[in-house]
Each structure stands twice: as C-alpha cells, then as structure tokens.
Amino acid sequence: MSAGVIVVGAGPAGRALAHRLLAAAIPVTVVDPRPERVWQSTFACWSDELPGWLDPTAFAARLERIGVAGTALEEVDRGYTVFDTPGLQRSLTLDGAEIVTDRVIGIDGARVQLDTGRALTGDVVVDCRGALPHEAPRQTAYGIVVDKATAAPVLEGHGALLMDWRGGIVDRRSLPSFLYVVPLGGDEYLLEETCLAGLPALDLDELKRRLEVRLGGLPSGIRRVEHVAFPLTGSSPQPWRDPTFCFGAAGGFKNPTTGYSVATSLMCVDAVVGALAAGRDPVPDLWPASARAVHNLRLRGLSALLRLSPTQTIAFFEAFFAMPIESQRSYLSRRNDLTGTMGAMTRVIRAVDMRTRSVVARGAMSTPEWAGDLGSTPRFQRR
C-alpha cells in the first residue's frame, strides 16, 4: 500500500515533521513501537533558535539570561527556554495521520519492513529514530527533580545555571563534570550532574556520587530521578550520504559539543516539508556545502574537547562564554555559518594558554574513527 510520507520514529523530530506535513495537507504514516509513550527527558534550547509556529504550551520556562561558572559565576545575556516536555508532545498533534504501532526492522528505498511481517511503501521514507546505538563519544547525566526551595541555594540568585564547573574536578585524570539547574515549570527544578563528553563517559553511579558531594548530601523530597546517556554524533558522521533520508538526531542535527538537537529539528522541519511538497530532495536544502563544513568542524571540535585535561576544559569554556554573544550564537546555533563558526573557534583558541592551544589544535586536526572520513557526497532516494 502507498502511505505518502512514512515517518519512522515518533520522538520530537519525527512527531514535529509529521505534524508540519499534516499542516501542509501531505499524507503521513507514522511508525513507532510505542507512539503514545510520554516523553520523559528534559529538553531546552536558546530561545532564538525556535520557530514561530510552536504553541506556547510547549514551554515550561523562558529566561532572559542564564548563569555559567568556570572559576566564577557569570551570566550569559542570551535567552534560554526550557520545554514543558509533555506539553511539547501534546502540541505536536498528529490528527489525520495513520499511526502504525510496530518496530521497523529494515528500510529499502521507499519500502519499510515491519517486525510483524507487514511492509509499507510510501513516496518518501524519513528515518527519525534518533542516533541509533553506535561507537561514539557520549554525554551522560544524573539528575534529580526538587522543589524551588531546595534549588534556591544552588542557583545563588540566578534563574538557571547552564554549566557550573566549580567542584567538577575530581583529579587530573578523571573527566570533569558540571552542574545544570533549570526550572521545569510550577515549583519544580532539575539539578543535574553532567559529563559533557567522554569516550567512555562517566557512568551514572559516579555522576550520582558527584552530585551528592556537590550538594553536601542528596536532599530529601526528591520527586523523581532523570538519567541521560546518548551518543553525541548521529549514527552516520556524514548524514547527507545516507541512502535513507534521516532527520533530527538521526540525521546529524545533534550539536556534538553540546548534545542539543531538538530546537534545530524544529527550526529545520519546514525546509523538509517545503522540499517534499515540491517533490524535491531535501538534502541540498539542509546540507549545502557550508552546513557540511560546519558539521565537520564541530566533529573536529568534539575531538579536540576529548583531549583536554579537566583544568583545560574549564579554561576552554571560560574563554568560550567570554566571547561576544554573536560569536557564541554562530558556533552553537547556526549550522551553516561557516565564517562565524571558524571565527568563534579562532577566538577561543587565541584566548587560552599555549599548552591548551596545542592540545586543541592536535585534536582538531585528527580524524578519530567515530568521525568517519569527513567526506561530502549527498545521496537521496525517492520512489
């Protein structure tokens, strides 16, 4: 049977794509083994990364600035938004879509093979299953949800903390970790000890121990616990070359030095819808030469980050957040701003000491196995 656009995966990227395809009157079939599962993760982004079509019920908190700390606590004067995760999920309605509750075991061109033996054939298949398990640097975190009174002393008068590295160094050989604190709406706050990147990353038991030490003991009245563990790269280091068109974290939208991908997926979804509605390949729209180059630079940036010592890591991020906001924005949010990305990287390298500069340069020039060959040959399949 023909199913129009088949969206594989009903996470944030898949659901957003299906939602906007339906708004454009394009037939959609969504395939997911648990399409109605309630999302549990906390999602956040810089406020200027968001598209205008999102429903306000998708937001739990919107802050004008956010705190960061290397050796001292400062503020980044850039808006930050924390999603109401269930609200985001509800806002991305799928009215009119065919929902298939099944697991995909294979994609061959425009044909999708399901675990039950059924096969679907569409005009286009879009894989939105996230970064499927593969060998890559990972981000891990252990978080607790507490009330506002418990979070207040940690916040030190700030609305949220993006990165607080103070107390995150155990010794010269162990990976550092930082504290992330954000409001979740109502009276709830997330306090999360995070390992930004590691191969291997810190495990959850170690992060829980560090959080307990940082807080002087885990508080009473913990409402729930949040675990984070995901690869910092997509399943393919060159997503524009994949035979099946992938979107979201599956399609290389995860920033490998931050782990963020949801806002990029939301911002890019209409470009995909527009291309599919016009019968065009969306790959050239999403992956022009500048975007491929920025993606490769970010992978090299992750390679460099993994080589830094704990003290060098903190010095690196102090230099990063001391840059003008426009330079920060270019590196963190603008996936096709090659000039701005290179400029931001140059600023940081010039700001750190010579030893750190040398480590960053060696890491950026290396090509680890998990980063592939950093090539760029777009491919796309339509029925």
Side-chain angles (χ1 to χ4, degrees):
M1 60 173 289
S2 179
V5 178
I6 302 176
V7 176
V8 180
R15 195 172 176 106
L17 177 58
H19 175 76
R20 296 300 284 174
L21 285 166
L22 291 164
I26 298 173
V28 179
T29 296
V30 177
V31 186
D32 191 279
R34 297 176 58 206
E36 299 305 321
R37 72 191 184 283
V38 178
W39 301 339
Q40 300 295 324
S41 300
T42 298
F43 303 124
C45 65
W46 301 104
S47 301
D48 53 30
E49 295 176 330
L50 293 169
W53 54 262
L54 273 174
D55 192 293
T57 60
F59 309 133
R62 311 203 74 178
L63 304 149
E64 293 185 2
R65 56 191 63 84
I66 191 166
V68 294
T71 55
L73 184 57
E74 308 286 347
E75 278 199 322
V76 175
D77 192 19
R78 186 181 178 194
Y80 193 78
T81 293
V82 183
F83 289 98
D84 179 325
T85 302
L88 173 64
Q89 185 175 16
R90 288 191 299 268
S91 73
L92 299 174
T93 56
L94 298 180
D95 300 337
E98 179 184 357
I99 309 296
V100 177
T101 303
D102 209 335
R103 186 172 68 91
V104 172
I105 60 172
I107 301 175
D108 183 8
R111 181 180 173 85
V112 176
Q113 187 64 45
L114 305 179
D115 191 41
T116 56
R118 182 184 177 191
L120 300 174
T121 302
D123 298 311
V124 178
V125 176
V126 185
D127 191 346
C128 301
R129 288 178 291 178
L132 299 177
H134 62 288
E135 184 67 19
R138 296 177 70 83
Q139 183 172 121
T140 52
Y142 179 89
I144 57 175
V145 177
V146 299
D147 62 20
K148 183 176 181 179
T150 303
V154 182
L155 287 166
E156 299 181 38
H158 296 269
L161 298 178
L162 180 68
M163 287 181 168
D164 185 350
W165 294 97
R166 296 171 300 176
I169 295 179
V170 174
D171 56 53
R172 291 186 303 170
R173 293 173 298 278
S174 298
L175 289 170
S177 59
F178 63 85
L179 182 66
Y180 175 69
V181 184
V182 291
L184 301 179
D187 188 42
E188 293 190 333
Y189 279 74
L190 173 67
L191 278 62
E192 193 169 76
E193 192 75 22
T194 303
C195 172
L196 181 63
L199 187 64
L202 296 173
D203 63 37
L204 297 177
D205 288 340
E206 171 62 12
L207 289 166
K208 178 181 179 181
R209 187 193 69 79
R210 291 191 185 194
L211 181 62
E212 185 171 5
V213 170
R214 184 190 291 273
L215 299 178
L218 293 179
S220 60
I222 295 174
R223 298 182 178 181
R224 59 187 179 277
V225 173
E226 182 170 314
H227 295 162
V228 173
F230 58 78
L232 283 164
T233 65
S235 305
S236 167
Q238 296 91 33
W240 51 87
R241 303 177 68 182
D242 292 341
T244 298
F245 175 53
C246 299
F247 182 71
F253 281 10
K254 190 179 293 294
N255 187 316
T257 51
T258 66
Y260 285 19
S261 68
V262 172
T264 302
S265 300
L266 294 171
M267 184 61 80
C268 290
V269 69
D270 280 351
V272 177
V273 172
L276 295 180
R280 296 197 319 272
D281 174 353
V283 170
D285 290 356
L286 292 177
W287 292 106
S290 58
R292 296 196 300 267
V294 168
H295 180 77
N296 291 342
L297 280 174
R298 287 175 171 178
L299 290 178
R300 293 187 184 279
L302 174 57
S303 177
L305 180 63
L306 292 170
R307 291 170 174 257
L308 296 176
S309 71
T311 54
Q312 288 171 334
T313 298
I314 293 173
F316 179 90
F317 280 100
E318 283 186 317
F320 183 90
F321 285 112
M323 289 193 302
I325 294 297
E326 191 65 16
S327 294
Q328 297 179 33
R329 185 181 288 114
S330 291
Y331 188 82
L332 294 175
S333 305
R334 292 176 177 161
R335 56 185 297 274
N336 62 353
D337 183 0
L338 179 57
T339 300
T341 299
M342 293 181 68
M345 295 176 77
T346 300
R347 278 179 176 269
V348 172
I349 290 172
R350 287 176 174 170
V352 297
D353 63 74
M354 285 299 298
R355 180 172 293 182
T356 303
R357 191 179 303 173
S358 176
V359 173
V360 170
R362 288 198 303 272
M365 293 179 67
S366 69
T367 303
E369 186 176 344
W370 49 264
D373 61 9
L374 299 182
S376 56
T377 306
R379 292 192 294 172
F380 181 70
Q381 290 189 3
R382 288 183 64 92
R383 177 168 174 262

